[in-house]
Amino acid sequence: MNFEALVKHISTIQNTLQAQAAHAVNLALTSRNWLMGCYIVEFEQNGEDRAAYGEQLLKKLEQRLKTKGLNERRFREFRRLYLVYPQLKEPITQYIASQIQIRQSLTAEFTEPIRRLVTAGSENGVWKLSTEHPQTETWMIPADRLFNRLSSTHLNTISGIENPVKRAFYEMETIRGCWSVKELERQIASLYYERSGLSKNKEALSALVQQQATLLQPKDVINTPVTLEFLGLNEHALVTENDLEQSILDNLQRFLLEMGHGFCFEARQKRILIDEDYFFADLVFYHRILKCHVIVELKIDKFRHEYASQLNMYLNYFKAEVMQSDDNPPIGILLCTEKGDTLVKYATAGLDPNIFVQKYRIELPTEEEIKVFSNAKEVLCVNSWTSGAIMMLRWLGVTAEDEVIVPAYTYSATALAVLHAGAKPVMVDSGEDFNISVDAIRKAITPRTKAIIPVDIAGFPCDYDRIMRLVNEPEIRNLFQATSLVQEKLGRILVMNDAAHSLGAYYSKNQRTGCETDIAIFSLHAVKNVTTAEGGAICLNLPEPFDNAELYKELRMMSLNCQTKDAFSKSKAGGWRYDIVGLGMKINMADVNAAIGLAQIREYPELLKERKRVFNTYSKAFADCDWAILPPSEDGEKESSYHIYALRIKDFTEEQRDRMIDEIAKSEVAVNVHFIPMPMLSFFSSLGYDIKNYPQAYENFKGEISLPIYPQLDEEKLDFIIKAVKDAYLKVTVDR
């Protein structure tokens, strides 16, 4: 026998006999647990002095026995095991009879009564399946297989499932797949049974799960069960755990791709082979500006120290196997629902410094928190700014004969919302600060004007004092002609602030935007300062005689198809009946779109400080450039939310501006023109809008270049961007 043969033999002996030893221990534990449960049930039903102990039986057992591992909770589990699996009587009795040592210890005083006991759920000693779930019969696992193939821990886990069909399903799948207890728990947590119910091809699903089931490490576990009906999964031929994960990750992908410039999507579930094991990185990006890979790991529970180690391993792998000679070291982002700063500090100490732990939550950003932040009277969260604006205009009762004043220089959604609500957008010119001209508003008002939608371009608030004074002037109020009950109640033109950019901006020293007009609507889109991937928040500040709290209830119902009960209320026993009381919309904010919003709104004040730092760095750098027109940030008590740095190049043509953007791009700095004036877009041009009628809007547009603003830009990166802009200007002007 050579050494290799020796190693092989010892390895075989170890694996075989250790497995047998473990199996023997499991048989003994299953027998112990079931027998204890059996005697507890027998005592509760037929005990001579059972009345003296009553409900305190299990606790008194714990106190009397004083044995480690035998407590009230375990006794409860043992009783449940016996009640759920009475069919184990025969294989356990045979097992005891076959084990000499056990048979000698457990005398006939103990074994014979077991043979005589009428087991729970049995008829004349023969176990019968419940007729309530007859389909279980086709999946019934023979008692000897349950006893020999499933450990005591497996049985304890499965016995906690109330639905007998669901129990039978997991019994079968665990045996077929040789699942570990961890794998079983993972499959239950990931709703494998429920997903199987969605699948048309159950055999294919089962085979796939068996194939993918492995001995789990903590890194593999889908940690916290979540309610997933909000994902709106369609019925597929095969619904897998991968499908569910994809539905969540897709929303995060959209957010990350649009959150900043330079992100290039590379892969999801990137396969990594280390030794003979495969690992999978959730999302992989490459950043063109930073010249490095960005690895994103998504966890659906709170931060745990092993998550940091897992991500550190991925970074080390990328450094060794993927990173090119001209690449910078990779960055790792770990997204968790909760994180303790101290635990993160200790867990990441000594690891790669490019590991960043961020938190998100799969829950709605509370309307109360946005209300407090904006000082609005009421706040209603919806699925987008656009749908929120459409709903509010419909609530106002606009018709095809009505007009709504909007700035010509804004994103198309401002005017499209008016068109979708059935009214006519009346475009007016801007001021030099990009925002709507109040003088232009005055000239555009007619008896058909029902609303004004000013826009806080780049996050800098409009002059709302002037606008609100304007609509309340006696001459303007007398000109107003109401055509709906809401309009009659208001008695003047409605002012609805398009505050898409300006969450966090200050209109006065102690007043943030959101409460200065009748209605303000924030956008929570992916590229906004605070994001829910997609979403909006309607701030209600209507004057008397309106009751904003009652209006909130009305609008909430309207955002749910004017349905008198929400889906949760309808799902309760006996609560199915509901009514539709009006022409509503389905525009409530979905849970998945709020995955990051709540955490962000709580941390937003700190993020604002960083955005302001970036903004001011740009302004300081370009202040001495006679060709640069700096965007407004502060004016008296008004202060921007620093959403966009809208730099303008003095006396440039569109062609020169476009050439300058191309030159900046050669340095791999991504800049753009944030808005094209609506009259320059084909659709609005076809409706008769002409950019010649909006000279200031065009003047603002033709020289505008939006520079990136996000908190992660440090001084070195900002210097690089600033140099790229200045060099591009020199290149364009020299070539001229």
Side-chain angles (χ1 to χ4, degrees):
M1 179 185 298
N2 57 29
F3 179 75
E4 292 301 321
L6 175 64
V7 171
K8 181 179 179 181
H9 285 310
I10 290 177
S11 177
T12 302
I13 292 168
Q14 162 69 14
N15 294 337
T16 303
L17 295 186
Q18 186 178 50
Q20 289 183 7
H23 181 62
V25 169
N26 268 314
L27 293 179
L29 286 174
T30 300
S31 300
R32 182 203 71 170
N33 298 349
W34 189 91
L35 286 170
M36 288 185 181
C38 174
Y39 275 104
I40 289 171
V41 172
E42 173 65 15
F43 181 87
E44 289 175 331
Q45 294 176 351
N46 304 302
E48 296 174 1
D49 54 351
R50 64 186 186 278
Y53 296 94
E55 295 180 357
Q56 297 297 313
L57 172 64
L58 304 185
K59 184 177 291 294
K60 290 183 179 295
L61 270 176
E62 177 184 350
Q63 295 170 348
R64 179 67 66 84
L65 291 168
K66 297 180 180 179
T67 301
K68 186 178 180 181
L70 295 180
N71 52 44
E72 183 181 2
R73 179 181 63 82
R74 296 305 311 279
F75 289 140
R76 206 173 299 279
E77 291 175 352
F78 299 162
R79 181 172 60 186
R80 184 184 69 199
L81 178 68
Y82 169 71
L83 292 171
V84 171
Y85 293 111
Q87 68 267 40
L88 292 179
K89 173 183 175 180
E90 290 304 318
I92 289 175
T93 304
Q94 293 172 9
Y95 170 74
I96 293 173
S98 66
Q99 303 296 310
I100 296 175
Q101 188 174 1
I102 298 176
R103 192 171 67 243
Q104 291 174 343
S105 300
L106 293 177
T107 62
E109 179 185 356
F110 292 90
T111 58
E112 287 303 315
I114 294 172
R115 292 186 179 275
R116 294 194 302 268
L117 288 178
V118 179
T119 56
S122 69
E123 181 180 324
N124 298 323
V126 180
W127 181 64
K128 298 289 187 181
L129 289 168
S130 170
T131 56
E132 184 180 355
H133 301 276
Q135 65 268 48
T136 321
E137 290 191 31
T138 60
W139 282 354
M140 185 177 70
I141 308 298
D144 61 331
R145 292 195 70 199
L146 286 175
F147 182 62
N148 286 285
R149 298 292 302 277
L150 297 179
S151 72
S152 60
T153 313
H154 282 107
L155 291 170
N156 183 56
T157 301
I158 298 173
S159 66
I161 300 171
E162 294 185 3
N163 184 339
V165 179
K166 188 174 179 178
R167 280 201 309 269
F169 176 85
Y170 281 114
E171 292 163 3
M172 179 183 66
E173 294 301 292
T174 302
I175 292 173
R176 289 170 60 181
C178 299
W179 288 352
S180 67
V181 174
K182 289 288 188 182
E183 181 69 18
L184 169 63
E185 291 173 345
R186 186 179 77 89
Q187 295 293 355
I188 294 173
S190 66
L191 308 181
Y192 176 38
Y193 171 78
E194 288 76 9
R195 290 183 284 113
S196 179
L198 295 175
S199 299
K200 295 177 180 178
N201 190 342
K202 293 182 175 61
E203 289 300 319
L205 175 65
S206 177
L208 183 62
V209 171
Q210 306 304 338
Q211 183 181 358
Q212 294 179 342
T214 58
L215 296 175
L216 291 183
Q217 302 297 321
K219 63 186 178 299
D220 302 314
V221 177
I222 298 178
N223 298 290
T224 306
V226 294
T227 304
L228 299 173
E229 63 263 21
F230 55 77
L231 296 177
L233 289 174
N234 295 319
E235 185 170 321
H236 301 296
L238 184 64
V239 179
T240 69
E241 183 179 330
N242 196 54
D243 294 324
L244 300 180
E245 181 185 356
Q246 178 78 57
S247 298
I248 297 172
L249 291 177
D250 280 350
N251 290 276
L252 291 178
Q253 288 175 19
R254 188 169 72 172
F255 163 73
L256 289 172
L257 286 167
E258 298 187 53
M259 69 178 285
H261 299 290
F263 283 93
C264 300
F265 179 69
E266 189 167 291
R268 75 168 295 270
Q269 292 297 304
K270 174 74 173 180
R271 181 155 52 180
I272 297 171
L273 179 61
I274 301 176
D275 294 330
E276 295 181 359
D277 294 323
Y278 284 106
F279 303 89
F280 299 88
D282 289 338
L283 295 172
V284 179
F285 297 83
Y286 190 84
H287 201 285
R288 296 189 298 110
I289 300 172
L290 303 180
K291 293 188 178 299
C292 67
H293 282 92
V294 181
I295 303 164
V296 178
E297 276 295 290
L298 172 68
K299 302 298 181 184
I300 59 174
D301 67 348
K302 65 181 181 181
F303 173 81
R304 292 160 57 181
H305 63 86
E306 58 261 37
Y307 296 160
S309 299
Q310 174 192 1
L311 187 53
N312 190 65
M313 178 184 70
Y314 292 164
L315 294 185
N316 288 334
Y317 175 88
F318 268 71
K319 289 176 191 176
E321 306 292 341
V322 179
M323 195 174 88
Q324 301 296 308
S325 59
D326 58 343
D327 282 344
N328 291 314
I331 294 171
I333 300 174
L334 181 64
L335 295 180
C336 302
T337 57
E338 294 289 344
K339 65 184 179 82
D341 292 337
T342 304
L343 179 59
V344 171
K345 176 183 176 182
Y346 290 154
T348 58
L351 301 183
D352 195 308
N354 283 342
I355 290 177
F356 301 93
V357 180
Q358 306 281 4
K359 72 177 181 179
Y360 75 97
R361 294 186 181 181
I362 304 188
E363 60 179 299
L364 287 173
T366 64
E367 293 164 341
E368 188 65 29
E369 291 194 50
I370 297 177
K371 185 165 73 173
V372 170
F373 195 82
S374 65
N375 203 31
K377 294 177 181 177
E378 295 290 341
V379 173
L380 174 68
C381 287
V382 291
N383 64 4
S384 72
W385 181 96
T386 305
S387 57
I390 295 170
M391 184 176 71
M392 295 313 302
L393 289 170
R394 289 184 177 177
W395 167 81
L396 184 62
V398 297
T399 67
E401 302 300 317
D402 294 329
E403 298 174 348
V404 178
I405 296 174
V406 302
Y409 197 26
T410 181
Y411 184 58
S412 60
T414 310
L416 291 174
V418 177
L419 290 167
H420 282 297
K424 176 185 177 182
V426 176
M427 298 183 191
V428 302
D429 209 357
S430 306
E432 292 185 2
D433 63 353
F434 288 99
N435 287 337
I436 194 168
S437 166
V438 181
D439 292 335
I441 292 175
R442 179 183 292 275
K443 295 176 182 177
I445 292 175
T446 73
R448 292 189 297 273
T449 304
K450 298 301 186 293
I452 301 168
I453 306 181
V455 182
D456 298 334
I457 301 292
F460 187 70
C462 297
D463 193 341
Y464 291 110
D465 284 346
R466 284 189 65 193
I467 295 173
M468 294 307 294
R469 285 198 302 268
L470 173 63
V471 298
N472 281 292
E473 288 180 8
E475 180 183 352
I476 301 298
R477 291 182 74 106
N478 290 334
L479 190 65
F480 180 74
Q481 295 181 1
T483 55
S484 73
L485 293 176
V486 171
Q487 295 170 23
E488 288 180 8
K489 191 173 181 178
L490 183 61
R492 60 165 170 80
I493 298 169
L494 178 87
V495 181
M496 185 168 73
N497 177 16
D498 182 344
H501 293 177
S502 59
L503 178 61
Y506 278 99
Y507 187 69
S508 64
K509 187 176 181 180
N510 298 311
Q511 177 182 314
R512 295 191 184 272
T513 55
C515 62
E516 61 277 11
T517 62
D518 300 315
I519 298 166
I521 308 180
F522 297 124
S523 173
L524 303 175
H525 182 257
V527 298
K528 301 303 186 290
N529 290 12
V530 174
T531 182
T532 58
E534 182 62 277
I538 303 171
C539 300
L540 303 174
N541 307 287
L542 286 149
E544 292 183 349
F546 288 96
D547 184 331
N548 287 280
E550 288 300 314
L551 178 57
Y552 167 84
K553 296 177 183 178
E554 178 185 341
L555 293 173
R556 185 172 180 84
M557 185 186 298
M558 191 174 179
S559 71
L560 292 167
N561 291 322
C562 280
Q563 185 173 281
T564 54
K565 288 184 180 179
D566 59 34
F568 181 74
S569 300
K570 288 196 303 177
S571 67
K572 293 182 178 179
W576 61 270
R577 193 176 294 278
Y578 64 92
D579 196 9
I580 300 295
V581 296
L583 180 61
M585 305 168 66
K586 184 63 169 70
I587 62 169
N588 62 295
M589 182 182 285
D591 289 354
V592 71
N593 297 115
I596 304 176
L598 185 59
Q600 286 203 343
I601 197 69
R602 292 173 176 173
E603 298 175 5
Y604 187 39
E606 293 302 315
L607 295 175
L608 269 176
K609 293 177 183 178
E610 292 300 301
R611 300 186 77 91
K612 183 176 182 177
R613 172 186 62 81
V614 174
F615 191 104
N616 288 342
T617 301
Y618 285 140
S619 292
K620 184 178 179 180
F622 296 119
D624 296 332
C625 300
D626 59 3
W627 48 266
I629 303 174
L630 308 186
S633 59
E634 297 184 53
D635 183 9
E637 294 187 347
K638 290 199 298 184
E639 183 177 356
S640 174
S641 65
Y642 306 102
H643 178 59
I644 299 167
Y645 194 87
L647 178 68
R648 282 173 287 174
I649 314 301
K650 190 182 298 182
D651 299 326
F652 255 31
T653 64
E654 276 191 74
E655 187 271 338
Q656 288 173 307
R657 189 270 317 276
D658 293 348
R659 284 178 56 202
M660 187 168 170
I661 290 175
D662 291 339
E663 288 296 328
I664 295 171
K666 292 178 181 179
S667 300
E668 298 192 9
V669 175
V671 299
N672 60 26
V673 180
H674 200 75
F675 290 140
I676 300 172
M678 290 189 294
M680 298 179 66
L681 301 172
S682 298
F683 173 71
F684 295 105
S685 179
S686 70
L687 297 178
Y689 299 98
D690 191 336
I691 190 61
K692 293 178 181 178
N693 297 324
Y694 314 97
Q696 188 59 54
Y698 181 73
E699 184 66 25
N700 293 338
F701 160 75
K702 69 182 180 68
E704 196 268 337
I705 299 176
S706 298
L707 304 185
I709 293 185
Y710 49 94
Q712 293 80 9
L713 286 173
D714 57 26
E715 295 304 312
E716 182 181 358
K717 298 183 182 78
L718 287 170
D719 288 344
F720 183 86
I721 295 169
I722 292 164
K723 184 179 184 301
V725 174
K726 290 181 176 180
D727 289 349
Y729 175 80
L730 291 174
K731 176 69 173 175
V732 172
T733 53
V734 168
D735 289 349
R736 183 173 55 179

